[in-house]
Amino acid sequence: MIKWQRILCGAALLIGGAGCTVGEGHGDVLTPEGDHLYVADCWNGPFDLKPDFFAANPYREESLMIRVQRGDNNEEASDGLLVIVNDLAAVKSSLNQPLEVGLPNGVTPPGQPVTGEPNPVVSLSLYLHQSCHEQNSATYSVGGTITFSKIFSGNPNEKNSDERSTDAEFDVTMADPRDLLDATDVSKVTGHLTGNFHFFFQRGQPAQPFQ
């Protein structure tokens, strides 16, 4: 695992210290018609995640990690989308407004300029560990937007049902920044994902922890 992937995993573990909780919900993560997803040595073509597992993982009511996944297995054996909200307060104050996404903090190889929004409020990572069975089978948001109309308050003891709801839609460009270093045609090494997710936070023992 290369350094910037270890940083991302460390961030997930940091946020995951509070334990994740599965919520009831629905959503889509797919390529629009005529577009494709690209992950080197793994995937190059249309994609539809068809998620049926939704989990929210708050950290001190400051940040939130959302996992939208197919199946309830652990991340290392699954296909899914991680949405990392680095500044929960900023998102709450910007509901119904498109937010620029960028690379997760630390996911930039040496010598590669930062792509997308710097220090993004929200970043996305798609992992295809079930489909591709490769250590580095992941791609990251390098552009586009996500819009939240509702977001979980981050309080595990939240009583207000509306404050336990998360509702978002996104339209993003995905890439592995290593593939952008020497690409002569960026369109061949980037992908386009759109989708949405809607679920309620439910406190309880996690079905699978982030590990």
Side-chain angles (χ1 to χ4, degrees):
M1 185 180 293
I2 58 182
K3 181 179 179 181
W4 48 269
Q5 286 185 306
R6 288 198 298 268
I7 293 172
L8 177 61
C9 289
L13 286 169
L14 176 63
I15 300 175
C20 69
T21 304
V22 178
E24 295 182 358
H26 58 91
D28 292 298
V29 179
L30 71 167
T31 51
E33 185 175 356
D35 280 320
H36 74 287
L37 175 72
Y38 177 81
V39 180
D41 302 319
C42 172
W43 197 283
N44 190 8
F47 177 80
D48 189 347
L49 179 62
K50 297 180 180 178
D52 55 13
F53 175 95
F54 304 85
N57 207 7
Y59 179 70
R60 295 182 178 176
E61 300 185 40
E62 298 172 358
S63 55
L64 187 67
M65 183 163 62
I66 297 167
R67 181 159 60 132
V68 179
Q69 185 174 288
R70 183 173 64 245
D72 62 357
N73 206 342
N74 60 41
E75 182 185 331
E76 288 78 8
S78 302
D79 293 349
L81 181 75
L82 280 181
V83 181
I84 300 178
V85 177
N86 295 301
D87 189 336
L88 190 52
V91 173
K92 289 179 183 178
S93 66
S94 304
L95 294 179
N96 300 308
Q97 299 178 33
L99 297 171
E100 295 289 334
V101 303
L103 280 171
N105 291 327
V107 186
T108 305
Q112 171 69 12
V114 174
T115 305
E117 185 73 5
N119 299 313
V121 173
V122 183
S123 58
L124 294 83
S125 305
L126 182 77
Y127 52 92
L128 300 179
H129 303 316
Q130 182 183 44
S131 292
C132 302
H133 307 292
E134 295 288 341
Q135 184 180 18
N136 298 328
S137 54
T139 185
Y140 309 93
S141 56
V142 296
T145 63
I146 185 168
T147 304
F148 287 87
S149 57
K150 295 181 179 180
I151 192 165
F152 168 48
S153 69
N155 177 7
N157 300 311
E158 182 63 64
K159 303 297 184 183
N160 187 327
S161 61
D162 197 51
E163 292 292 323
R164 291 190 288 111
S165 177
T166 296
D167 193 327
E169 60 182 24
F170 57 89
D171 187 326
V172 296
T173 300
M174 307 292 288
D176 183 329
R178 294 172 300 176
D179 296 331
L180 300 176
L181 284 171
D182 301 313
T184 55
D185 185 349
V186 171
S187 66
K188 291 184 178 180
V189 296
T190 56
H192 184 194
L193 283 181
T194 61
N196 56 78
F197 48 88
H198 320 266
F199 68 96
F200 286 89
F201 178 88
Q202 296 180 353
R203 183 166 185 171
Q205 292 299 318
Q208 292 287 349
F210 290 100
Q211 294 182 349

